[in-house]
Amino acid sequence: MKLKRTALVTSVLAATLALTACNDKETKSEPTKSTAEQAQPAANKVLKLANIQEGLLKQFQQAVEVKTSKIDFAKDKAGMPFVVYHYDFKNIGNEPLAAVQWFAVVKSGDKYIDVQPISLRFEQPYPAQDKALDVMFNRKLEAYSADLQKAIQADPKKVKLDVLIVAGNVIYPNGTGVIVNTPAMVDFTLNNLLAQQEKAAQPAKADEKAEKDAKK
């Protein structure tokens, strides 16, 4: 099993700070007041991968701040449900930025269900800001398990999704930057976690099969 990972590249125009998300060729429809429901607030956490250098992570955290602000459940004009993840992004460093990347790892209970590589590329150097930039990432509901889809459709407010932020990279206008994790590093680590997750689930599946066989 592999986590679904799709690229999101956001171009931020200097004048308008317009955001354009490309996620799985999904609908670009915005959630409406009549269809959007907000999830239970999830804790903001930072997932630290074992293979990174502490110094690089510290430099990333001193340059930018990324938080999950909210998660909405909505429907497009055709009535198809999707999940909208909102991230608050700030340049909190002393230098303007040319680009930044982070990874959002989504958990439902104790299971990893999604990983989102999110990249911002600025047409003009992006200065430090007190106000956070709202970055949205859409995911079709069908990308998740049938059980999770049913739970969301039954009562979105009871569904709790945890989002863990993984540092990626920060690039400055002069071409220098800090690379903490690459997509390959994140994939490798998370695929190992998934393998452990599946291995841990095997005894439970065996017990369930034995119970069913006993009832025959």
Side-chain angles (χ1 to χ4, degrees), residues 18 68 137 139 169 175 182 207 211 215:
T68 309
F137 188 99
R139 180 72 83 199
N169 63 62
T182 65
D207 291 342
E211 186 177 341
K215 290 179 180 180

Side-chain angles (χ1 to χ4, degrees), residues 137-171:
F137 188 99
N138 296 349
R139 180 72 83 199
K140 285 183 179 179
L141 195 58
E142 64 187 30
Y144 299 134
S145 70
D147 288 343
L148 183 56
Q149 290 181 47
K150 289 178 182 177
I152 291 174
Q153 290 172 333
D155 191 348
K157 294 179 181 178
K158 290 185 178 179
V159 176
K160 185 174 184 296
L161 300 176
D162 288 316
V163 180
L164 307 132
I165 302 300
V166 179
N169 63 62
V170 172
I171 306 299

Side-chain angles (χ1 to χ4, degrees), residues 101-164:
Q101 181 180 53
W102 70 86
F103 304 87
V105 180
V106 184
K107 291 184 71 177
S108 175
D110 60 351
K111 294 183 179 179
Y112 295 93
I113 63 168
D114 197 3
V115 57
Q116 306 160 2
I118 301 174
S119 299
L120 302 181
R121 297 176 183 173
F122 303 101
E123 193 168 271
Q124 297 295 328
Y126 188 68
Q129 300 271 342
D130 290 331
K131 186 177 179 180
L133 191 64
D134 179 29
V135 180
M136 293 184 293
F137 188 99
N138 296 349
R139 180 72 83 199
K140 285 183 179 179
L141 195 58
E142 64 187 30
Y144 299 134
S145 70
D147 288 343
L148 183 56
Q149 290 181 47
K150 289 178 182 177
I152 291 174
Q153 290 172 333
D155 191 348
K157 294 179 181 178
K158 290 185 178 179
V159 176
K160 185 174 184 296
L161 300 176
D162 288 316
V163 180
L164 307 132

Side-chain angles (χ1 to χ4, degrees), residues 95 170-178:
E95 300 181 52
V170 172
I171 306 299
Y172 298 107
N174 64 2
T176 63
V178 178

Side-chain angles (χ1 to χ4, degrees), residues 51-69:
N51 57 350
I52 69 170
Q53 296 182 34
E54 291 287 345
L56 295 177
L57 178 59
K58 186 176 181 180
Q59 289 179 54
F60 182 92
Q61 293 174 331
Q62 289 174 339
V64 299
E65 179 181 273
V66 180
K67 293 182 179 180
T68 309
S69 58

